[in-house]
Amino acid sequence: MSEQSKYTMGEDRIPHAWYNIAADLPAPPPPVLHPGHGGPIGPADLSPLFPMALIGQEVSTERHIEIPKPVRDIYRMWRPTPLYRAHGLEKALGTTARIFYKYEGVSPAGSHKPNTAVAQAFYNKQEGVTKLSTETGAGQWGSSLAFAGALFGLEVKVYMVRVSYQQKPYRRALMETYGAKCVASPSEETESGRAILAAHPDSPGSLGIAISEAVEIAAKSPDTKYALGSVLNHVLLHQTVIGIEAIEQMEQADAYPDVVIACAGGGSNFAGIAFPFIGKKLRDKKDVRVIAVEPAACPSLTRGIYAFDFGDTAHLTPLVKMHTLGSEFIPPGFHAGGLRYHGMSPLVSHCKELGLIEARAYHQNPCFEAGVLFARTEGIVPAPEPTHAVAACIEEALRCKETGEEKVILTALCGHGLLDLPAYGGYVAGQLHDYELPELAIENALAKLPAGV
Amino acid sequence: MSEQSKYTMGEDRIPHAWYNIAADLPAPPPPVLHPGHGGPIGPADLSPLFPMALIGQEVSTERHIEIPKPVRDIYRMWRPTPLYRAHGLEKALGTTARIFYKYEGVSPAGSHKPNTAVAQAFYNKQEGVTKLSTETGAGQWGSSLAFAGALFGLEVKVYMVRVSYQQKPYRRALMETYGAKCVASPSEETESGRAILAAHPDSPGSLGIAISEAVEIAAKSPDTKYALGSVLNHVLLHQTVIGIEAIEQMEQADAYPDVVIACAGGGSNFAGIAFPFIGKKLRDKKDVRVIAVEPAACPSLTRGIYAFDFGDTAHLTPLVKMHTLGSEFIPPGFHAGGLRYHGMSPLVSHCKELGLIEARAYHQNPCFEAGVLFARTEGIVPAPEPTHAVAACIEEALRCKETGEEKVILTALCGHGLLDLPAYGGYVAGQLHDYELPELAIENALAKLPAGV
């Protein structure tokens, strides 16, 4: 630890604007389609769900979008987040590569999610909204929105995937401590939930079902809007503070990444660190490889198809073109709850189609192995999601060790694993079984993609 | 949140020396006595348990003790920690007081404990020790020593109070993820443990028993030393980085505390923030009230007596003069595991006797009420231990509201509550019963204090 290992900045270096990659892409992303008539949707179609400011951000092509002062004031609680040089990990690997990680686990909710939760709560509050509904899987997003809701005085209702609701009482307690209401999904509160329960009384739930419930409640309640924790353009936009800060901190470290690696579930953490670097590549020809890492159990980018699909199970959301496994795909049980979505952010998918990013997939247990090595050498226990990125960093660093290359690797450590410790405990005790993806799971789900779009 | 609320400093402001209050006290603390012959102990008596560098710190009267560079290098992972102005809490209370809190939850283990764990691991490593043994109650200390042990390549064995071992699998998993071995105490591994199990096969364990086991193992193993997470002078010394940084950050805020409030279990968090301010009071006549807050279920400072007592149940430790409830006192079940020790740091007790500090005690549920208000207004869920200090801050702030005084209140938020969320969940669901301290519990335990010293 004797070399420089942490790059911090003063609060004056919190970005004043988010970065919108739509301004720099060589081709615009495909339109979003109405779930009813199939034509492109307009702002009015989205207004029951989102405040106009966020709808505006969703379609904006402005390169820089100003961060409102009240949002920056709350960002100051934990931003700028530190960038670390992983000297301990490098030494353990004996690599010639330099590994850097941007750590978002210092936020009060323990992940990158508050970057957008605070912004969404602000814009809703500004437009007079008093209640927000949302879904959550493992609970990172739900607890972040609960945190933001508490600070802005908004009621927050979270539909939490039933199996997580039962297995993750810590996350539920965190949401309730912040004052949010947390309901197991599928619930009896919505038509979508009741329909699922009628067919499958013991349904463990899924993100797709929980999204249907939260969207339905918002669509039917004039005082309630919906908030989503990933996938959408405005959510990814808010996360770009990560990459904007990282660019400046890499300058402090007198280095520029040869490769940027991040895990991707819905895509917001990945886009948060990667888009500002892709933007520099597009504008300034600063070359960089960008790798999205996903779980082999939910491999939308690596095994899904690029097609129009629904974001939810009950097909209440618009149709977006994305890499998808089909909205009926239910992944096998694995611990990285933030990586269990059947689709991928349309913007990230579009970048993949444009050849701007690569993707690879890893199994669960090698990721926990990487996470344990990281904890023991760097002192921070990563959330299960970013262990996927850590595993990929280690693979790259070991390749450099073989070739003698002195590559600079940058990753996003998007959250700590303190609320995921039972999974680590199982892993170190040798009791964590890796999953198997059933042979036809993907094929069967893809066969049910919406036709004719 | 629009006013200045966070006071940060660059890494160059991490203190270069710890502050040793022994240099400034108007009277020296009483001697430490040998458990066998009853006379004062010398360095040789302690050398089976501690490296000489720490024994030297234990008896030093130098005001400033240099922090070794490798320790400061690791401190840089999370230090200097932020000082926050609690604007949200102040607003909710409508107080005229200004409340500041120094937040130690940003450390990788989530509390102030790594400040001394890293130092202890360093000095042991320096003297060729390869293994450390320790005890832990709720697990904050055990996980911090596991963290430090991983970074210095030391084997760490943690005797964890059995009831916590069973009830807190997250903490145990955290220690094991860092590579430590965690054993439920009382165990079959030690004479102390076997003696307890012979008499009480279902013993839930206690901190006093776990200390006996860890001390016994260290005393019997030439390659193993013992590490304690609180109580001793050198442990308190290492925590003074908290108060030293806070003094400088309060200057940034253009304020000086009228009152410093911190929770006290063994006393290390309390001393960490308070001693540097008491030192200024003694040297520079900077007046300040200092209040230690403890749980009504384990009230050593407010209801114990000031007497020579053992630090552990099996009476293997030296005798120290402290406020104690008797080494056989077992507190009723409550969630602030870090505040369950039967005694109090001799240095903190000595300050109490010298009239330098006050003490008060609170019941559990009002503390959780304070913790929930804090979480919803400040965004951070406090560990159950510092909710005691938060409750006292609120009481002071509400008194200011009545009188119109504009007092400056400073407290130490020594850790986050993310691994204590089930207790919060129970509280917000109205299911957390407050404890009752059995009528004669304290009297019966005090009756068994060692005689003749």
Side-chain angles (χ1 to χ4, degrees):
Chain A
M1 300 288 288
S2 58
E3 297 166 84
Q4 172 75 6
S5 59
K6 183 184 170 198
Y7 300 88
T8 48
M9 301 190 294
E11 293 178 17
D12 57 314
R13 304 312 305 156
I14 296 172
H16 287 259
W18 293 298
Y19 166 66
N20 181 10
I21 198 171
D24 290 319
L25 289 175
V32 174
L33 305 183
H34 194 282
H37 57 66
I41 59 163
D45 295 311
L46 292 174
S47 64
L49 297 185
F50 302 107
M52 287 311 295
L54 292 177
I55 295 171
Q57 292 178 1
E58 193 64 20
V59 296
S60 170
T61 53
E62 292 291 313
R63 181 173 293 127
H64 301 292
I65 295 179
E66 191 187 343
I67 304 176
K69 185 171 179 307
V71 174
R72 290 185 79 245
D73 282 341
I74 295 182
Y75 279 177
R76 283 162 48 200
M77 282 184 69
W78 71 94
R79 306 211 70 85
T81 59
L83 177 85
Y84 290 96
R85 168 92 184 265
H87 282 299
L89 179 61
E90 290 172 18
K91 197 174 154 193
L93 298 173
T95 181
T96 45
R98 281 179 286 167
I99 305 172
F100 293 85
Y101 57 99
K102 176 79 168 161
Y103 184 44
E104 294 292 308
V106 291
S107 83
S111 79
H112 66 298
K113 293 287 187 188
N115 294 330
T116 184
V118 169
Q120 293 189 48
F122 166 77
Y123 288 115
N124 275 285
K125 179 81 177 181
Q126 197 184 36
E127 294 189 21
V129 176
T130 57
K131 297 178 188 173
L132 293 175
S133 70
T134 195
E135 73 292 325
T136 200
Q140 289 274 21
W141 167 243
S143 50
S144 298
L145 194 68
F147 157 79
L151 296 183
F152 282 103
L154 294 167
E155 278 184 42
V156 174
K157 182 163 219 169
V158 183
Y159 293 87
M160 186 172 188
V161 175
R162 182 175 296 275
V163 62
S164 295
Y165 183 90
Q166 290 160 344
Q167 289 176 351
K168 296 182 186 285
Y170 280 58
R171 279 281 172 203
R172 175 155 48 102
L174 181 52
M175 293 182 241
E176 292 169 349
T177 299
Y178 282 133
K181 288 204 173 53
C182 189
V183 179
S185 166
S187 78
E188 292 285 353
E189 295 188 356
T190 64
E191 280 181 38
S192 318
R194 288 190 293 271
I196 297 279
L197 287 173
H200 309 284
D202 297 326
S203 168
S206 73
L207 265 181
I209 295 169
I211 293 173
S212 295
E213 293 207 275
V215 165
E216 181 186 324
I217 284 288
K220 287 179 175 169
S221 319
D223 58 351
T224 303
K225 299 278 185 205
Y226 170 68
L228 188 63
S230 190
V231 179
L232 297 177
N233 300 353
H234 68 267
V235 181
L236 274 56
L237 175 79
H238 301 153
Q239 294 294 356
T240 57
V241 288
I242 303 170
I244 296 168
E245 288 179 4
I247 286 174
E248 190 166 340
Q249 289 165 311
M250 292 300 292
E251 281 170 17
Q252 277 183 40
D254 202 16
Y256 195 83
D258 295 295
V259 54
V260 174
I261 298 175
C263 65
S268 79
N269 165 62
F270 172 78
I273 192 150
F275 279 7
F277 286 94
I278 295 175
K280 276 181 84 75
K281 181 175 182 171
L282 291 168
R283 291 192 313 277
D284 309 337
K285 313 294 170 209
K286 286 281 277 184
D287 197 31
V288 64
R289 269 179 75 202
V290 177
I291 303 174
V293 189
E294 57 184 13
C298 197
S300 55
L301 278 172
T302 51
R303 293 183 62 193
I305 60 172
Y306 186 55
F308 278 97
D309 195 9
F310 292 100
D312 71 323
T313 303
H315 297 180
L316 303 178
T317 70
L319 287 154
V320 294
K321 196 159 188 188
M322 61 181 174
H323 290 87
T324 179
L325 299 162
S327 64
E328 299 199 11
F329 177 76
I330 307 246
F334 65 97
H335 285 279
L339 307 180
R340 293 175 62 84
Y341 189 59
H342 69 274
M344 178 53 64
S345 150
L347 266 181
V348 171
S349 288
H350 186 55
C351 286
K352 175 90 169 7
E353 291 301 302
L354 291 171
L356 294 168
I357 66 171
E358 306 162 36
R360 61 176 74 156
Y362 288 95
H363 269 267
Q364 170 170 271
N365 284 19
C367 294
F368 273 106
E369 183 184 356
V372 168
L373 179 62
F374 192 91
R376 293 182 185 177
T377 53
E378 291 296 312
I380 297 170
V381 180
E385 292 82 2
T387 62
H388 290 71
V390 172
C393 288
I394 291 173
E395 189 177 317
E396 289 294 318
L398 290 177
R399 192 169 298 144
C400 287
K401 183 182 179 177
E402 278 179 29
T403 61
E405 285 176 289
E406 296 182 354
K407 278 191 186 168
V408 175
I409 301 170
L410 170 65
T411 190
L413 199 70
C414 55
H416 63 63
L418 294 182
L419 295 181
D420 306 283
L421 282 166
Y424 275 97
Y427 176 76
V428 295
Q431 292 163 353
L432 193 67
H433 296 293
D434 218 332
Y435 51 80
E436 287 298 325
L437 190 60
E439 190 70 30
L440 291 173
I442 295 176
E443 287 70 9
N444 287 342
L446 288 177
K448 294 178 188 163
L449 274 179
V453 286
Chain B
M1 301 291 288
S2 58
E3 297 166 85
Q4 172 75 5
S5 59
K6 182 183 170 200
Y7 300 89
T8 48
M9 301 191 294
E11 292 177 19
D12 56 315
R13 303 311 306 154
I14 295 172
H16 286 261
W18 293 298
Y19 166 66
N20 180 12
I21 198 171
D24 290 320
L25 289 175
V32 174
L33 305 183
H34 193 282
H37 57 65
I41 58 163
D45 296 313
L46 292 173
S47 63
L49 297 185
F50 302 107
M52 288 311 297
L54 293 177
I55 294 172
Q57 292 178 0
E58 194 64 20
V59 297
S60 170
T61 53
E62 293 291 314
R63 181 172 293 127
H64 301 292
I65 295 177
E66 190 187 343
I67 304 175
K69 184 172 181 305
V71 174
R72 290 185 79 245
D73 281 341
I74 295 182
Y75 279 178
R76 282 159 51 199
M77 281 184 70
W78 70 94
R79 305 211 70 84
T81 59
L83 176 86
Y84 289 97
R85 169 93 182 267
H87 282 298
L89 179 61
E90 291 172 17
K91 197 174 155 193
L93 298 172
T95 181
T96 45
R98 280 179 287 167
I99 305 172
F100 293 85
Y101 58 99
K102 176 78 169 161
Y103 184 44
E104 294 291 308
V106 292
S107 82
S111 79
H112 67 297
K113 294 288 186 188
N115 294 330
T116 184
V118 169
Q120 292 189 48
F122 166 76
Y123 288 116
N124 275 286
K125 180 78 177 183
Q126 199 183 35
E127 296 190 17
V129 176
T130 57
K131 297 180 189 171
L132 292 175
S133 70
T134 196
E135 71 292 325
T136 201
Q140 288 274 20
W141 167 243
S143 50
S144 298
L145 193 68
F147 156 78
L151 296 183
F152 283 102
L154 294 166
E155 277 184 43
V156 174
K157 182 162 216 169
V158 183
Y159 292 88
M160 185 171 189
V161 174
R162 182 175 296 276
V163 61
S164 296
Y165 183 90
Q166 290 160 344
Q167 288 176 353
K168 297 182 186 284
Y170 281 57
R171 279 281 173 203
R172 179 156 44 103
L174 182 52
M175 292 181 245
E176 292 169 350
T177 299
Y178 282 134
K181 288 207 171 51
C182 189
V183 179
S185 167
S187 78
E188 294 284 352
E189 295 187 356
T190 66
E191 281 182 36
S192 318
R194 287 190 294 271
I196 297 279
L197 287 173
H200 309 283
D202 297 328
S203 168
S206 72
L207 264 185
I209 296 169
I211 292 174
S212 296
E213 292 206 276
V215 166
E216 183 185 324
I217 284 288
K220 288 179 176 169
S221 319
D223 58 351
T224 304
K225 300 279 185 203
Y226 170 67
L228 188 63
S230 190
V231 179
L232 297 177
N233 301 352
H234 68 269
V235 181
L236 275 58
L237 175 78
H238 302 153
Q239 294 295 354
T240 57
V241 289
I242 302 171
I244 296 168
E245 288 179 4
I247 286 174
E248 190 166 340
Q249 288 165 313
M250 290 301 292
E251 280 169 18
Q252 279 185 36
D254 204 16
Y256 195 82
D258 295 296
V259 55
V260 174
I261 299 174
C263 64
S268 78
N269 165 62
F270 171 78
I273 191 150
F275 280 7
F277 286 95
I278 295 175
K280 277 182 84 76
K281 181 175 180 171
L282 291 168
R283 290 192 313 277
D284 309 338
K285 313 295 169 209
K286 285 283 276 185
D287 198 29
V288 65
R289 269 178 76 203
V290 177
I291 303 173
V293 190
E294 56 185 13
C298 197
S300 55
L301 279 172
T302 51
R303 293 182 63 192
I305 61 170
Y306 186 56
F308 278 97
D309 194 8
F310 292 99
D312 72 321
T313 303
H315 297 181
L316 302 179
T317 71
L319 287 154
V320 294
K321 197 161 188 186
M322 61 180 175
H323 290 87
T324 179
L325 300 162
S327 64
E328 299 200 11
F329 177 77
I330 306 243
F334 66 96
H335 285 279
L339 307 180
R340 293 175 62 86
Y341 189 59
H342 69 274
M344 178 54 64
S345 151
L347 267 181
V348 171
S349 288
H350 186 54
C351 286
K352 175 89 169 7
E353 291 301 301
L354 291 171
L356 293 170
I357 66 169
E358 306 163 37
R360 61 176 72 156
Y362 288 95
H363 269 267
Q364 171 170 273
N365 282 20
C367 293
F368 273 105
E369 184 183 355
V372 169
L373 179 62
F374 192 91
R376 293 182 185 178
T377 54
E378 292 296 314
I380 296 170
V381 180
E385 293 82 1
T387 63
H388 290 72
V390 172
C393 289
I394 291 173
E395 190 178 314
E396 289 294 316
L398 291 176
R399 192 170 298 142
C400 288
K401 182 181 181 177
E402 278 179 28
T403 61
E405 285 175 288
E406 295 181 355
K407 278 192 185 165
V408 174
I409 301 169
L410 169 65
T411 191
L413 199 70
C414 55
H416 63 63
L418 294 183
L419 295 181
D420 306 283
L421 282 166
Y424 275 96
Y427 176 77
V428 296
Q431 292 164 354
L432 192 67
H433 296 293
D434 219 333
Y435 52 79
E436 288 299 327
L437 190 59
E439 190 68 32
L440 290 173
I442 295 177
E443 287 71 7
N444 287 344
L446 288 177
K448 294 179 189 164
L449 273 180
V453 285

